[in-house]
Amino acid sequence: YCVFSVQEEVGLRGATVAANRIKPEIGIALDVTIASDYPNSAVGSNKLGGGAAVKISDGSVICDEYLVDEMISCSEENEIKYQRDVIDGGGTDAGAINRSNYGVKATGISVPMRYVHGPNGFVNMVDIDASIELLATSTLTPVSCSISLSNPLSNEPPPVINIPFSIISEASSGGVFSNTALTLSTISVTDSFK
């Protein structure tokens, strides 16, 4: 799916409607995050030129640990520049996705930005390129989940099921409204459920 939603800044309204209607299994929100690398900036570790910011938490969500680990592993394995994104306030559409449909695993990829919500913002193209590369690389990897459905007394191996995942991503438009893209794709997952 590809959805452009609005009103992220006034209650995550567009993502809430989209996530409840589409019912994704996994959500990845694309957004900007606060860069804290200039005098009198907010407390934080994100900086321009540090790479894609892998969302760990913000004021709206504590991201799924497994998805965060997958994003970091994908970045390291593919030599994609990244940094960890933890902020104590704000929020992204990942929060709306996470709370939809009795709970959806969610994380995010953000581009660090100076002067977020101001009339002019500054980003580094290195961070934009890294974010695009991380999203493309992580969502183009085939999915397979190993689920044991057989009788515990049987010697048959559990079946392997390929599951397509719904990926939600957001990109800020820089104005009052935000644009959100919702994409049906795949993410690298290999789990054994017992």
Side-chain angles (χ1 to χ4, degrees):
Y1 298 91
C2 198
V3 174
F4 294 89
S5 73
V6 297
Q7 300 181 355
E8 184 254 8
E9 295 297 337
V10 291
L12 311 175
R13 293 175 181 171
T16 299
V17 172
N20 281 300
R21 184 166 184 164
I22 294 168
K23 298 179 177 36
E25 290 87 13
I26 289 177
I28 300 175
L30 292 182
D31 203 343
V32 295
T33 190
I34 297 168
S36 303
D37 60 350
Y38 60 96
N40 298 318
S41 66
V43 175
S45 62
N46 296 321
K47 61 182 181 179
L48 297 188
V54 176
K55 176 72 66 189
I56 295 173
S57 67
D58 61 31
S60 70
V61 66
I62 297 174
C63 296
D64 182 77
E65 183 179 2
Y66 178 79
L67 292 179
V68 170
D69 289 345
E70 283 294 306
M71 289 288 171
I72 291 171
S73 293
C74 181
S75 297
E76 291 173 350
E77 290 168 10
N78 294 284
E79 299 180 6
I80 300 169
K81 198 170 186 180
Y82 76 96
Q83 51 193 316
R84 289 172 173 83
D85 184 23
V86 178
I87 56 175
D88 63 354
T92 64
D93 284 347
I97 299 161
N98 178 246
R99 290 187 303 273
S100 69
N101 303 298
Y102 304 105
V104 174
K105 291 182 177 194
T107 189
I109 302 171
S110 299
V111 175
M113 180 180 196
R114 290 183 187 163
Y115 318 117
V116 173
H117 302 139
N120 297 299
F122 294 92
V123 298
N124 187 309
M125 288 305 295
V126 168
D127 303 331
I128 293 173
D129 291 342
S131 296
I132 292 168
E133 187 176 357
L134 178 56
L135 181 64
T137 304
S138 65
T139 59
L140 295 177
T141 306
V143 172
S144 66
C145 293
S146 176
I147 303 171
S148 178
L149 301 174
S150 59
N151 184 331
L153 302 175
S154 172
N155 289 330
E156 292 183 32
V160 174
I161 302 169
N162 289 321
I163 303 170
F165 284 100
S166 300
I167 307 295
I168 293 184
S169 58
E170 179 196 19
S172 175
S173 66
V176 174
F177 301 107
S178 296
N179 299 326
T180 302
L182 176 65
T183 313
L184 176 62
S185 187
T186 57
I187 191 167
S188 176
V189 179
T190 307
D191 275 336
S192 182
F193 302 98
K194 296 180 181 175

